[in-house]
Amino acid sequence: MTPRLTRFAGATLALGLTVAGLAACGDGGSGGGSSSDSGSGSGGAKKIALLLPENKTARYEAFDRPMFEAAVKAACADCEVVYSNAEQDAAKQQQQAEAAITQGVNVLVLDAVDGKSAATIVQNAKSQGVPVIAYDRFVAGSDYYVSFDNQKVGELQGTGLVTAMKAAGKTSGDIVMINGSPTDANAADFKKGAHSVLDSSGYTVKAEYDTPDWSPDKAQAWMEGQVGTVKGNLVGVYAANDGTAGGAIAALKGGGVNPLPPVTGQDAELAAIQRIIAGDQALTIYKAIKPQAEDAAKNAIALANKQKPASSADKEGVPSTLLDPVVVTKDNIKDTVIADGFYKASDVCTAEYAAKCTELGIS
Ligand code: BGC
């Protein structure tokens, strides 16, 4: 546990330095490619479109957007970020991409609502000389991809769930799985990773649901329907992210399930960290968004300047960077999201959670 965190903190630091380094040469190297730029005229000023998929999940507006904008500003004071959120609507995202290209952006940073149909966005952009970064969710044909090891996210969720069920004294019984959106390529990876652990774990996957739009409300409604059926034998709930976990937990509580079985999550949302402290959720997965946003910003600026992105992996022929996800349980909140500055202890330990925080040594 400790060595992984040390490595992780080191990676964050290294990425920070890379971006700082870029600031020094921000408007150098505009190379030969001044072709049809309608940008802001002179020097290194570039327009970068950031296209995020939805706003029901807290990360996008609370972390991805501000961290990406800050990283662009730090590396290139004259660059401009053109931001859009598609609110889970793939057609709307397509229009937002077209509008950004019409406005003269030099590069798209795309977190696709629908991984398959977004291939059209990529083709269309590239036919107009605009490179595309697939941000967090993979899109075939893009110029660069930055994300986390998403299958590993699923494996960590599955392993964490088994550990929590055993700790609750259950070595067999029923599990239900609340997966992510069927249009999100990541959701398939999370599901695959989780199945690779759960299918051979000795527990029974009794029912499974692919949550349209990752909607917490739909996850809750589905779980409400399951409570009557699986109630007595339910020993664990796999929820693919914290939004769906919140829906599942509300349904379980509403259905009178007591004690709650362990429930998983992902994103280290503040509400989820507080549910973990309260004992309502077993774990979440922390994906440090800062290094991800900084990496995307650095490579967006490189691509806008007709330079190659820096990558360390390859996915389907697309140069890629895959960051490391980390499991968070009540035992390491302090050493992960607090130590990394994702939250301050005072954000997490509000009056309602103060006593539990003290018990867990979170200060
Ligand atoms: C992201 C998750 C997020 C989910 C819902 C996934 O593609 O990787 O962090 O919770 O989408 O927006």
Side-chain angles (χ1 to χ4, degrees):
M1 200 181 295
T2 321
R4 173 186 286 156
L5 280 166
T6 315
R7 224 179 53 229
F8 170 75
T12 310
L13 186 68
L15 273 157
L17 289 174
T18 318
V19 170
L22 232 146
C25 56
D27 54 6
S30 44
S34 59
S35 56
S36 62
D37 280 359
S38 59
S40 319
S42 65
K46 299 290 176 204
K47 277 191 183 178
I48 300 169
L50 177 65
L51 301 153
L52 295 184
E54 55 131 326
N55 53 21
K56 283 192 186 157
T57 301
R59 60 171 286 180
Y60 301 110
E61 299 291 337
F63 294 102
D64 293 274
R65 178 187 183 180
M67 286 175 166
F68 181 82
E69 288 176 342
V72 168
K73 272 279 160 274
C76 172
D78 294 338
C79 288
E80 184 192 336
V81 176
V82 176
Y83 175 70
S84 325
N85 190 306
E87 297 170 334
Q88 275 295 358
D89 181 339
K92 185 169 180 176
Q93 188 164 61
Q94 177 132 15
Q95 286 158 14
Q96 290 173 336
E98 279 163 17
I101 293 171
T102 308
Q103 274 186 57
V105 297
N106 303 95
V107 56
L108 299 185
V109 177
L110 171 65
D111 194 341
V113 172
D114 182 325
K116 289 210 175 88
S117 72
T120 314
I121 298 181
V122 172
Q123 280 158 18
N124 185 32
K126 290 178 78 170
S127 73
Q128 298 180 64
V130 178
V132 182
I133 292 182
Y135 181 77
D136 200 65
R137 300 179 180 176
F138 183 74
V139 185
S142 48
D143 297 275
Y144 178 67
Y145 170 56
V146 56
S147 188
F148 288 79
D149 181 338
N150 292 310
Q151 206 164 310
K152 185 164 169 201
V153 169
E155 287 163 19
L156 292 175
Q157 291 171 318
T159 308
L161 182 58
V162 170
T163 304
M165 291 186 295
K166 288 196 173 138
K170 308 285 182 188
T171 49
S172 64
D174 295 342
I175 308 172
V176 297
M177 291 184 71
I178 303 178
N179 303 303
S181 163
T183 67
D184 175 0
N186 286 351
D189 281 346
F190 303 146
K191 185 171 164 177
K192 192 170 169 198
H195 268 293
S196 75
V197 175
L198 296 175
D199 290 357
S200 55
S201 63
Y203 302 89
T204 309
V205 178
K206 196 74 184 170
E208 199 167 346
Y209 177 62
D210 289 340
T211 314
D213 303 341
W214 286 96
S215 158
D217 298 345
K218 288 176 186 155
Q220 181 169 345
W222 182 80
M223 192 68 226
E224 279 164 5
Q226 292 301 307
V227 168
T229 331
V230 287
K231 202 173 182 174
N233 223 1
L234 186 68
V235 294
V237 175
Y238 168 86
N241 76 348
D242 290 336
T244 52
I249 290 167
L252 291 165
K253 285 188 168 177
V257 178
N258 187 14
L260 288 175
V263 178
T264 66
Q266 169 179 194
D267 287 338
E269 288 191 358
L270 185 56
I273 298 293
Q274 291 178 327
R275 285 194 297 264
I276 292 173
I277 289 171
D280 287 348
Q281 186 171 326
L283 64 100
T284 185
I285 304 292
Y286 174 47
K287 301 189 299 185
I289 294 170
K290 197 160 183 252
Q292 183 181 23
E294 289 178 349
D295 181 273
K298 177 186 77 171
N299 285 302
I301 294 168
L303 280 165
N305 284 302
K306 319 268 185 228
Q307 292 160 358
K308 276 203 166 149
S311 63
S312 55
D314 172 287
K315 184 173 164 78
E316 296 176 29
V318 177
S320 306
T321 297
L322 296 178
L323 303 165
D324 232 2
V326 177
V327 182
V328 180
T329 66
K330 64 180 175 29
D331 299 324
N332 68 348
I333 290 173
K334 191 177 168 193
D335 298 334
T336 53
V337 289
I338 306 283
D340 209 32
F342 201 60
Y343 298 120
K344 293 203 269 306
S346 57
D347 298 332
V348 169
C349 300
T350 52
E352 202 183 332
Y353 304 95
K356 292 262 184 185
C357 278
T358 308
E359 243 173 70
L360 295 169
I362 305 169
S363 55

